[in-house]
Amino acid sequence: MTTFVDRVVLHLQAGDGGHGCVSIHREKFKPFGGPDGGDGGHGGSVSLVVDPQVTTLLDFHFRPHLKAENGKGGAGSNRDGANGRDLLVKVPNGTVVQTLDGTVLADLVGAGTTFEAARGGRGGRGNASLANARRKAPGFAELGEPGDRLDVVLELKSVADVGLVGFPSAGKSSLISVISAAKPKIADYPFTTLVPNLGVVRVDNHTFTVADVPGLIPGAATGKGLGLEFLRHVERCAVLVHVVDTATLEPGRDPLADIDTIEAELTEYGGLTDRPRLVALNKIDVPDGRDLAEIVRPDLEARGFRVFEVSTATREGLKELTFAMAELVEQSRAAAPPAEPTRIVIRPKAVDDAGFTIEQEPDGSYTVRGVRPERWVRQTNFDNDEAVGFLADRLARLGVEEKLAKAGANPGDLVRIGDREFDWQPTLYAGVDFVPGSRGTDIRLEDKSTRPAAAERLAARKARRQRPADEVEAAPPEPVDDEDWE
């Protein structure tokens, strides 16, 4: 069973923010000391970081669900909740982060490279933080914002300078085992190599890495054999080396045909036509293999290839091949543009950018989209009328009310913000001039029903039962029975 995985789907969940606290300070002889509810802590984020000690995505194959810690809720006496701990996920060098539809989010190359994949939710503010000159004792607090939840695809593309390509059993694993310290599995049957192998080669003062890619067959670029799964590991290679078996006994196989087939697969895969090539005619320790190598060498050189006759068994010709690899790698490194330090890009907001947009849907409703309005809605406790009124004031100050009116919205129209739907009633919102009343209530949201109150209905019922005063005076006195006095 192979222990190498180079593509996984991760289900990431950042931590939720903690809820703010509603609390009023009380002590002896001071029953109302003002609001003292603390803020909730922020949720932890999920970040991917490159670790040179990690070489495979196998751990994520068995544990694809990753979750950061939630923030703690606030408490009374102005005690803020603790922030959730961030989750650092170690990934191999060369990991590509993509969405499920193939959009590349990050290409992680280089030890320590970090990418924040899922951001933790903000903690809600307590009523102490929400107090101001008009709202001295808020009876509500903000809810914690949910953290990001998303699915990402991790693909590992080996970071190597030289890639060895060729048919199965061409001797790629044997070659990398003798020129480096790598110890891949070697056997005399096809598809012995099921995973890419990396080896470090040192030639004089030059050091470079070599990747042994599993054997390719015709149709590999379309999914046949193992080619489609592992062709991605040659994308980052600066030099490609064709390892050709000159002693094969399979009918219809010869070095020229093998190279043409591999080149066709590389071309169909795309993006590899500009890489310099070398040809290693392997297994010249076999007499027939040496003879065939001498025959095809002029034809390969006529095509522009640099050809080397080698034997991994006797190590003949390996020194010249490794020096040629080092030369091409150094040329590629010299031609590469120098690495520039990361620049901080500041993108100021446009003067006319309100921070939100309003779109009218085909059904006549309106949808408000924006970071701040959607976050405010997520942090609002809709069971508290004062919190709903506070949200209405914030949206009015942001300009949502004005833009809805300009967009043609009428009272009673359906308005969506995030996952919430409202019946728009602009007359309910008094904006900054509104003075709040009792804690937890908002007179603008009270039911304006014409039905009399319970006290009024009780007084009216008592009035109907009482006899008018003029009727009491005109009524004759009731006769008195003497027997009642006995």
Side-chain angles (χ1 to χ4, degrees), residues 26 44 80 158 185 201 228 230 294 454:
R26 291 179 174 87
D80 295 340
S158 301
K185 181 180 180 181
V201 181
L228 185 61
F230 297 109
E294 295 176 354

Side-chain angles (χ1 to χ4, degrees), residues 329-339:
V329 169
E330 290 300 321
Q331 292 178 1
S332 175
R333 293 175 179 175

Side-chain angles (χ1 to χ4, degrees), residues 162-167 170-172 175 216 239-246 255-267 272 275-282 300 303 305-310 321 325:
V162 180
L164 305 180
V165 295
F167 270 72
K172 301 183 296 298
L175 178 59
L216 305 178
V239 180
L240 298 181
V241 177
H242 285 282
V243 181
V244 183
D245 184 2
T246 59
L256 296 178
D258 289 354
I259 292 178
D260 291 340
T261 300
I262 298 301
E263 284 291 334
E265 297 302 323
L266 296 177
T267 302
L272 302 172
R275 313 298 165 85
R277 264 77 159 167
L278 298 176
V279 176
L281 300 177
N282 192 22
L300 293 174
R303 297 185 181 185
F305 291 113
R306 293 178 61 182
V307 183
F308 298 87
E309 300 178 12
V310 300
L321 176 61
M325 293 180 184

